[in-house]
Amino acid sequence: MKIRSFLMTLLLAPIFSQACDICGCANSGSYFGLMPQSNKSVIGIRYNHLNFTTHPASQVLRTEEKFNVTELYARFFPIKRVQIMAFLPYRMDQQITTSGTKKQNGFGDMTILANYNILNTLMDRENSSKFTHTLMVGGGIKLPTGRFKYDENDVLQVANANFQPGTGSTDFILNAFYTVNLDQWGLGFNVSRKFNTTNSQEYHFGNQLYGTMDLYRSFKVGKMTLTPTVGLYAEQSARGTKNDVVLDETGGRQLNGTVGLNLFSNRWTLGINGQKPIAQKSNSGHVVAKERILVQVGFLF
């Protein structure tokens, strides 16, 4: 089965503030991995685990924050060259401090994306070729379907913006994807820009920029295709604001190394991907992003 690198930085239920101010938490981009080259529709589910440590050198202030996101996703082609994708996450978040553990669950913000296939030599040519490349551009919207509400005076809550299931704002996304394939080898690039608006609580999450680069190789295994990948994933976030006041402790940047393994058949796809930070800098200076893992399964029809 022919595949292309479809390396979207798809937005999960957003959270990005004081406690997770490096590019991460669930307000960050989410490395999506590979998808089949065919124009078949796909419906699937994926699980994403992110982990952060705040004040790692302090025995008193040290905090572990774990974000577990289970997400339904779908892809379909209403007309030739136009691709629609939709995502609905459910979040299970946990904050562990020296005084105890706090949890919060709930649906996050839904994302809808539309992309147009400007260039696709595999689709345009009648005869197959060893060399193919594709270019897709588009954008989308993130809807405030997740809850954004907390009481800073309630000691039983994790009373900051980053721990909420949603951002409370309607945000906009622009993206572009380019892939090139030669025989069983492929290289994919993606860049995505997210523009956030101010929510009803007068909180504005900083705008974000994401990028990916992945190298992959396909191997035939019977009637299936096995594809390992290796690459880079980068994020950058501007500082957020509250009541038009810049929050200096928010924002940051991060570069991750990625490795993954994907299995494709004519009817389904299965993948696992891991990320490990190579370089990172939070504007507060006290948040450390840890490894991430993504597992997903999709059914083609």
Side-chain angles (χ1 to χ4, degrees), residues 259-298:
V259 61
L261 188 64
N262 302 272
L263 187 63
F264 301 94
S265 78
N266 290 326
R267 298 298 300 273
W268 54 267
T269 175
L270 176 67
I272 184 170
N273 176 270
Q275 295 188 21
K276 184 177 180 60
I278 298 173
Q280 58 181 293
K281 178 178 174 56
S282 67
N283 287 333
S284 70
H286 58 69
V287 178
V288 178
K290 299 298 185 65
E291 293 78 12
R292 306 178 182 183
I293 188 168
L294 169 71
V295 180
Q296 62 183 355
V297 60

Side-chain angles (χ1 to χ4, degrees), residues 70-84:
T70 301
E71 188 172 41
L72 293 175
Y73 69 91
R75 177 189 76 174
F76 64 96
F77 299 87
I79 58 176
K80 185 178 180 180
R81 294 186 179 275
V82 176
Q83 175 184 253
I84 306 294

Side-chain angles (χ1 to χ4, degrees), residues 186-197:
L187 186 63
F189 301 90
N190 159 233
V191 61
S192 182
R193 178 71 166 166
K194 182 165 174 274
F195 302 91
N196 300 319
T197 64

Side-chain angles (χ1 to χ4, degrees), residues 99-110:
S99 60
T101 300
K102 298 177 182 179
K103 299 180 180 180
Q104 182 161 273
N105 302 335
F107 282 101
D109 291 343
M110 175 183 287

Side-chain angles (χ1 to χ4, degrees), residues 4-275:
R4 71 176 149 194
S5 178
F6 197 71
L7 305 171
M8 296 183 102
T9 49
L10 299 171
L11 289 302
L12 301 175
I15 55 172
F16 198 105
S17 185
Q18 288 93 338
C20 271
D21 54 6
I22 198 165
C23 310
C25 303
N27 191 33
S28 70
S30 175
Y31 179 93
F32 196 72
L34 300 177
M35 290 192 70
Q37 169 71 16
S38 70
N39 288 337
K40 289 184 178 181
S41 297
V42 179
I43 186 169
I45 188 170
R46 62 178 183 164
Y47 167 78
N48 198 6
H49 174 77
L50 303 92
N51 187 21
F52 298 81
T53 301
T54 306
H55 299 287
S58 173
Q59 295 184 356
V60 177
L61 299 177
R62 182 184 177 92
T63 300
E64 296 286 341
E65 295 195 346
K66 302 178 186 296
F67 302 93
N68 299 287
V69 184
T70 301
E71 188 172 41
L72 293 175
Y73 69 91
R75 177 189 76 174
F76 64 96
F77 299 87
I79 58 176
K80 185 178 180 180
R81 294 186 179 275
V82 176
Q83 175 184 253
I84 306 294
M85 300 191 77
F87 309 86
L88 179 63
Y90 184 84
R91 288 183 40 189
M92 297 166 286
D93 303 335
Q94 185 179 66
Q95 185 186 72
I96 304 172
T97 67
T98 54
S99 60
T101 300
K102 298 177 182 179
K103 299 180 180 180
Q104 182 161 273
N105 302 335
F107 282 101
D109 291 343
M110 175 183 287
T111 299
I112 301 173
L113 299 171
N115 295 287
Y116 183 76
N117 215 156
I118 294 177
L119 173 67
N120 190 330
T121 55
L122 183 63
M123 179 188 299
D124 296 337
R125 293 173 181 169
E126 294 184 1
N127 299 321
S128 61
S129 171
K130 292 184 177 181
F131 174 82
T132 62
H133 60 148
T134 67
L135 174 63
M136 297 181 66
V137 297
I141 187 171
K142 185 195 68 59
L143 302 171
T145 54
R147 184 180 70 257
F148 183 88
K149 184 178 181 180
Y150 61 94
D151 183 358
E152 294 181 347
N153 298 316
D154 188 348
V155 297
L156 299 179
Q157 294 186 22
V158 183
N160 57 47
N162 75 293
F163 212 72
Q164 308 311 304
T167 60
S169 62
T170 300
D171 306 325
F172 303 94
I173 304 158
L174 294 177
N175 49 47
F177 315 93
Y178 177 74
T179 63
V180 57
N181 293 273
L182 181 61
D183 287 333
Q184 301 303 312
W185 288 91
L187 186 63
F189 301 90
N190 159 233
V191 61
S192 182
R193 178 71 166 166
K194 182 165 174 274
F195 302 91
N196 300 319
T197 64
T198 303
N199 64 25
S200 61
Q201 307 287 319
E202 296 302 317
Y203 196 100
H204 179 268
F205 292 89
N207 294 336
Q208 294 155 307
L209 178 67
Y210 315 99
T212 61
M213 179 183 70
D214 270 64
L215 177 68
Y216 55 92
R217 170 68 160 87
S218 297
F219 301 90
K220 292 294 294 182
V221 182
K223 295 183 179 180
M224 297 182 293
T225 301
L226 184 67
T227 307
T229 67
V230 62
L232 296 172
Y233 172 77
E235 306 179 15
Q236 183 178 21
S237 177
R239 288 178 171 87
T241 63
K242 173 73 172 179
N243 295 319
D244 293 326
V245 177
V246 176
L247 302 173
D248 291 332
E249 67 273 19
T250 62
R253 55 185 180 271
Q254 180 175 343
L255 176 66
N256 291 350
T258 68
V259 61
L261 188 64
N262 302 272
L263 187 63
F264 301 94
S265 78
N266 290 326
R267 298 298 300 273
W268 54 267
T269 175
L270 176 67
I272 184 170
N273 176 270
Q275 295 188 21

